[in-house]
Amino acid sequence: MRRICFCYLAGFCLFMFFLSSCTALRQPAPIRGDFAHIVLFWMEGQSEAAKATFRKDMEDFIKSSAYAQSMHIGTSAGTDRAVVDNSYDFCLIVTFASKTEHDRYQKEQVHLDFIEKTKGLWSKLQIYDSVR
């Protein structure tokens, strides 16, 4: 009888551990860094080839940044909701450990070179910065 109770208790404990593990796995992971820099680019009149080159240049410069912690480069998802602005061509989200690191990034040569190289490609630029 004791052995059966122990087996049920052990099984119950394993089941509860499994449930708590599954719940933990479903939790969204926080973005690395306390400072988020979101940049939207509009590229009116640019060819698909120019947009592809722009994207590659953006990926290359962000990957070579000494200050960027994480990044996301994407395009408008085309979500069909009245509150969503789908008019932009590219979205760049870069995170930094702090505002100080972001400020250093703004003066970083690879960032300045990217701006100089691509500034003729976008017709509009909108930036949103956020701190935890």
Side-chain angles (χ1 to χ4, degrees), residues 4-22:
I4 293 172
C5 288
F6 177 75
C7 287
Y8 282 119
L9 179 61
F12 178 75
C13 288
L14 283 171
F15 177 73
M16 293 306 290
F17 174 76
F18 174 75
L19 281 181
S20 67
S21 296
C22 289

Side-chain angles (χ1 to χ4, degrees), residues 49-75:
K51 290 177 184 179
T53 299
F54 175 80
R55 182 183 191 123
K56 174 142 181 28
D57 289 343
M58 188 165 29
E59 288 171 354
D60 291 346
F61 116 75
I62 287 296
K63 288 176 184 175
S64 64
S65 171
Y67 305 105
Q69 283 199 322
S70 59
M71 63 103 166
H72 167 88
I73 296 173
T75 58

Side-chain angles (χ1 to χ4, degrees), residues 25-122:
L25 292 175
R26 288 192 316 240
Q27 298 299 316
I31 294 173
R32 289 179 37 216
D34 285 343
F35 192 100
H37 179 64
I38 300 104
V39 186
L40 301 177
F41 298 90
W42 284 260
M43 302 182 71
E44 294 174 36
Q46 296 298 330
S47 68
E48 291 306 310
K51 290 177 184 179
T53 299
F54 175 80
R55 182 183 191 123
K56 174 142 181 28
D57 289 343
M58 188 165 29
E59 288 171 354
D60 291 346
F61 116 75
I62 287 296
K63 288 176 184 175
S64 64
S65 171
Y67 305 105
Q69 283 199 322
S70 59
M71 63 103 166
H72 167 88
I73 296 173
T75 58
S76 171
T79 323
D80 190 19
R81 294 176 50 219
V83 296
V84 176
D85 179 358
N86 288 302
S87 65
Y88 63 91
D89 292 292
F90 286 98
C91 174
L92 167 65
I93 303 172
V94 186
T95 64
F96 303 93
S98 65
K99 182 182 181 306
T100 301
E101 294 291 290
H102 164 266
D103 294 348
R104 289 179 181 144
Y105 156 86
Q106 289 298 327
K107 298 173 186 171
E108 187 176 27
Q109 194 59 52
V110 293
H111 181 236
L112 298 174
D113 290 346
F114 170 75
I115 293 169
E116 188 61 33
K117 183 177 183 178
T118 64
K119 68 182 177 185
L121 293 176
W122 67 77

